[in-house]
Structure formats: C-alpha cells, structure tokens
Amino acid sequence: MSAPTGNSPERRGKVAVIGAGFYGSTTAQRLAEYDIFETVVLTDIIEGRPEGLALDINQSRPIEGFETKVIGKTTSPDGAGYEVIADASIVIITAGVPRKPGMSRMDLLETNARIVRGVAENIAKYAPSAVVIVVSNPLDEMTALTQLVTGFPKNRVMGQAGMLDTARFSHFVAEELGVPIRAVRTLTLGSHGDTMVPVPSQCFVTIDGEQRRLADLVPPEKIQELVERTRNGGGEIVALLKTGSAYFAPSAAAARMARAVAEDSGQVLPVCAWVDGEYGIHGVYLGVEAEIGAQGVRRVVTTPLTESELAALHEAARAVAAKQADVANL
C-alpha cells in the first residue's frame, strides 16, 4: 500500500498526552494526524496500554499519510517512565477517573486531585517549559491545582472546557433550526459544570447569507432549553453510555487548543484561563475567551455581555474561586 501523497508540512516539536484512556488516546490520534509534530507521546499507568495504542496509531500512518511518530510509555506513580516527556513543548493532562452515571464532576475532586498532583510534579521536572492543557475533571479546580503544583506562569496553564461546551451549544442550535453547523456561532463562558454560562446574546445564525441573532429565531423558552441541555451535555452522554464519558468531541477540542499553541496562531478560543481584572473578576481560573499562542494564553478577550450574563459569570467566578482555594491542600 502506498501512502497518500501531498505537500508535507514542517514537523517540529513534541507534544505529550498523559492518560491513555479513550479521551487521551483519541487526542493522541488527532494530534498525530495533524502531521505537524515530530513526536506525540502517550503515557498511562496501565502496563502496556500506551505502547499498544501507540503501535496501533503508528500502523495507521501508511493509510492516512502522516509521518508524526507516536511513542507509548507506561509510567508509575513514583515517576518512573516520565522521562519520555522530556522537553515536550505542550502537555495535555487527561489522567483521572471518568464520571459514572449519577456522578457530578465534583464527585471526582479528591481522587483526581491526587492523580493530577503527581502528574503535574513530573511535568515540572521533565518538561519545565511546556504549555499545559488540563482536561481532567473537575476541570476548573484541576487547572488551578496544576498551576500551583508546577509553579508555571499562569498563562502557560489552561483548561479545556469552553471549546467543548460551545461546540455542544452550536450542535444543539443547528439541530433545532435545521441549519448547517458552519452557519452557527455560539459561546459559553464560566465554569465547566453547574455554573456554566452559555451566552445567547453572542449567538448568531447565518441564513441565506444574512447573520441573524439567535434570539430573533428562537423563543426565549426554547433558548433556555438549549442552554440547559448544553449545561448538562456531558451528563447526558454519561447516562447514555452507562460506562465512561464523552471523548470524541472533548478530544477534538483539546487537540485544537494544542494546535493553536504549536502554530502560535493567535486564535481566540473559549478556554479556562487565569482571569485577573477582566469582567471585573480577579484571581481565578475561569472559562473565558482567550488569544492562544506559543506561550499559552496571550491575553483574555472580553466579550460584550448582557447584565444577566455578566451577573451569571460573576456568580460562576465566586463558586469556582471558593473551590479552587481548597485544592492546594488536596
């Protein structure tokens, strides 16, 4: 079999994915298929799992036509094996216990805090210049914990949630209106959880070449239904799957964030970033829009909000700040 031909991009650098569950392995696959990295590293504490998945992904290279190599490595809680991430420019943390039906993201706090703390210590040791993207739940708290443990500048630690929540919102709007997904633009801010803040005032749909406000197309009660379904989007999937949680859409979001860092793109994306003054909010990791580049978050981008949306964002910030203050002791 001959590989597909085409112009090969310049490949450079190493990106590491910690945790080789469905989320982590799918993220590694997406990153490899971008064909912009020299190496994608995949680690896990389950012996042989990352090596086997790496071999499987590598064997897809002749079919998909990418040259990026995937390296799998089993690690241990005492740090053995983490040398494989040495000098990675980007590290994505997916390690942790996934939700089960009936569990909230906060139910995972203590268990995943122990796991993420150990991962963060090894990132600081072996990849001290990396940009870190956290996806472990509860997301906002684990992002704050990772920054505390690594001691990295706050701009180099961010969380993946807003992209996923916004994508879910866009999907539900497109399905409701029967329009192509590319015609829909939505936004969610706040926490990745109960205080998520979908922003209907910044939601637009393009119909027959004309951009229209969502509020002009859908009655308020239907918008509220879409908002609630977005807020509960992860739980809906967990309940349907019975075992495990979402990973196709989440991995797409994490991989796109990593690509924005790798390409120093300056893309404005909804992410969990350190907020210190924007929207009148100080000293908390929170879901906002941010310009992403090689050093992580270049700047937080503020968006015009209605009074009720701004109030909800402040409420989310207070709730998240209280929980983030506790993670240092976990």
Side-chain angles (χ1 to χ4, degrees), residues 155 158 260 264-271 273 288-301:
N155 63 287
M158 55 183 165
D264 194 22
S265 71
Q267 276 185 284
V268 175
L269 303 173
V271 302
V288 290
E289 287 190 289
E291 185 180 302
I292 306 301
Q295 291 301 308
V297 174
R298 291 181 183 173
R299 64 185 181 94
V300 171
V301 177

Side-chain angles (χ1 to χ4, degrees), residues 91-131:
V91 181
I92 302 173
I93 304 177
T94 75
V97 177
R99 281 199 289 169
K100 297 177 181 178
M103 292 178 69
S104 72
R105 293 181 177 92
M106 291 308 298
D107 290 336
L108 305 174
L109 182 58
E110 290 194 18
T111 298
N112 282 354
R114 288 193 295 272
I115 295 169
V116 169
R117 177 177 285 278
V119 171
E121 288 171 349
N122 283 292
I123 293 172
K125 180 177 180 180
Y126 291 104
S129 298
V131 171

